[in-house]
Amino acid sequence: MKGAIEKISINGFKSIRELKELELRDLNIIVGANGSGKSNFVQLFQLLMAMTRKGMQKFILENGGADNFLHNGPKNTSAITVECEFESHSEHRAGTNFYRFELSPTVGETFLVSEERKDATTNWCSYGSPSLESGLYDERNEKSAVNNFNGIGHFVYESIAHWMVYHFHDSSSTAPMRRSEIVEDNNLLRSNGSNIAPFLLRLKNEELFHSYYQEIVNAVQLVIPFFDDFRLDVLKMGETEKVKLSWGQKGSDFPMQPYHLSDGSIRFICLATALLQPFPPSTIVIDEPELGLHPEAIRILGELVLDAAKRTQIIIATQSPLLLDQFSIEDIIVANRKGGQSTFERLHHEDFNEWLNTYSVGELWTKNVIQGGTSYE
């Protein structure tokens, strides 16, 4: 996949003391017990996204300050280092591209960031002096020639800036996905689903995207049999036009509202939209998408994930045996807690040949043959 991350190395980030060249493929299902480090791995992607928006310091402070990100605190870890390897299939930048950064804590509960990049044929080159914000954002318009370091910087920016970490856990009565949003906020689906209604309205109204809209409707109907179609009525509020997630029920012309949807139903609508959208992010990351879903909905979710992985890179963290049953053993990365740190290991089919003749992947997880149970330290 163009812009997909192929390998990642992490040192000193939260529970991840040392992780060397973890291979990431088109489909990556991370499974592990509570506290194994799955969410920390996901949060690293959120940090990288914030760096492309010059929002690193805000992200660090909102999540507890620099000390909270260092493995076992500043007395044990002096800096965080991360190295990403990307594969480019662009005619303008073929081969492998690398990006590395180091975060060094300051006295003000923040970090200084030092950054380097290279392609497969050159030595590491610095972005410049350490600074309070990443230099990735400054590379967004630098479309220089192959082997020019600014060109590599632009490629890395484009790859990371088009990631998306979706988090649809908040489906309460006041959740953003249940509220109205301005019609114009329809360019991309936001991480919390707050603009789900205008995004769907755009897909519904634009001929180029209508087939994708219909696929989303079809998927929702499989999980919510009485669901007919989205209404997505536009309301005039002064000079502003807003839309919310109104919908129709089969056999009725009464307009149903977002509060008529159960938590699981509205989460599934957001998940189906994220996975079936016509212009997906270069990497989609979702933490525990199975929450609140009926077993049949989890099976359908697995099918949507498999289909989406043909078009973009997918990283999912889960604990669900039912969701694991939808995937191959080679898709699974096991997160474990060992010796006070998180480890991540991709599974191989040959290690489970005999077991798979009798049991599914989810059953192997439940029986702890895939060893990722609770660790007592």
Side-chain angles (χ1 to χ4, degrees), residues 16-246:
I16 307 172
R17 185 178 70 84
E18 183 179 37
L19 177 63
K20 291 185 177 180
E21 295 189 340
L22 176 68
E23 178 190 9
L24 295 177
R25 302 175 182 173
D26 294 340
L27 180 56
N28 309 273
I29 309 299
I30 302 174
V31 63
N34 293 329
S36 61
K38 301 187 307 298
S39 294
N40 290 339
F41 189 81
V42 168
Q43 193 173 52
L44 178 65
F45 285 79
Q46 294 175 308
L47 171 63
L48 278 157
M49 287 173 58
M51 290 169 66
T52 67
R53 296 161 170 77
K54 282 194 178 296
M56 186 187 78
Q57 297 300 341
K58 181 174 182 290
F59 181 84
I60 295 296
L61 292 173
E62 287 179 347
N63 288 277
D67 289 0
N68 190 50
F69 285 82
L70 295 163
H71 178 70
N72 288 342
K75 289 186 177 180
N76 293 284
T77 303
S78 60
I80 296 168
T81 59
V82 176
E83 182 177 319
C84 303
E85 180 179 333
F86 301 88
E87 182 69 20
S88 171
H89 300 291
S90 166
E91 60 180 335
H92 302 296
R93 179 166 297 287
T96 304
N97 299 281
F98 299 83
Y99 169 66
R100 181 168 66 196
F101 70 87
E102 179 176 293
L103 301 181
S104 303
T106 69
V107 293
E109 280 291 303
T110 59
F111 285 111
L112 283 177
V113 55
S114 305
E115 299 169 282
E116 298 178 302
R117 72 273 198 181
K118 71 170 182 174
D119 65 20
T121 62
T122 61
N123 296 321
W124 287 99
C125 178
S126 173
Y127 273 50
S129 301
S131 61
L132 289 172
E133 289 290 350
S134 168
L136 284 171
Y137 181 79
D138 300 326
E139 305 282 353
R140 65 195 185 282
N141 295 320
E142 296 294 337
K143 298 182 180 180
S144 304
V146 176
N147 295 329
N148 178 282
F149 281 117
N150 285 334
I152 298 172
H154 173 76
F155 172 82
V156 172
Y157 167 80
E158 284 292 308
S159 298
I160 299 175
H162 291 96
W163 290 349
M164 184 59 74
V165 179
Y166 289 115
H167 197 283
F168 302 131
H169 292 186
D170 181 8
S171 54
S172 64
S173 60
T174 58
M177 62 182 70
R178 294 188 188 267
R179 302 175 66 85
S180 300
E181 188 53 88
I182 59 172
V183 172
E184 294 82 5
D185 189 6
N186 61 13
N187 187 45
L188 55 84
L189 181 64
R190 297 195 178 277
S191 60
N192 62 355
S194 61
N195 68 333
I196 181 74
F199 187 79
L200 283 170
L201 183 63
R202 179 189 177 191
L203 300 187
K204 183 177 184 178
N205 289 343
E206 294 191 20
E207 184 177 355
L208 181 64
F209 303 135
H210 189 76
S211 63
Y212 295 91
Y213 171 82
Q214 193 57 54
E215 287 186 26
I216 294 169
V217 170
N218 294 343
V220 173
Q221 288 174 339
L222 291 174
V223 172
I224 313 172
F226 51 83
F227 176 89
D228 184 37
D229 197 357
F230 297 106
R231 290 178 57 102
L232 306 171
D233 300 319
V234 178
L235 305 175
K236 189 80 172 177
M237 299 181 178
E239 296 182 357
T240 302
E241 289 185 331
K242 288 191 172 184
V243 60
K244 62 181 176 180
L245 198 65
S246 53

Side-chain angles (χ1 to χ4, degrees), residues 296-346:
E296 182 62 18
I298 292 176
R299 182 188 67 78
I300 295 169
L301 172 64
E303 294 177 358
L304 296 180
V305 170
L306 287 168
D307 181 69
K310 298 173 184 176
R311 301 185 294 128
T312 190
Q313 185 176 50
I314 302 290
I315 300 172
I316 285 178
T318 183
Q319 297 185 75
S320 169
L322 289 173
L323 188 56
L324 288 178
D325 275 343
Q326 312 308 311
F327 308 114
S328 301
I329 198 78
E330 297 92 341
D331 300 326
I332 310 301
I333 297 172
V334 179
N336 270 306
R337 184 90 173 191
K338 297 178 181 178
Q341 64 173 307
S342 297
T343 64
F344 297 83
E345 181 183 1
R346 183 176 290 280

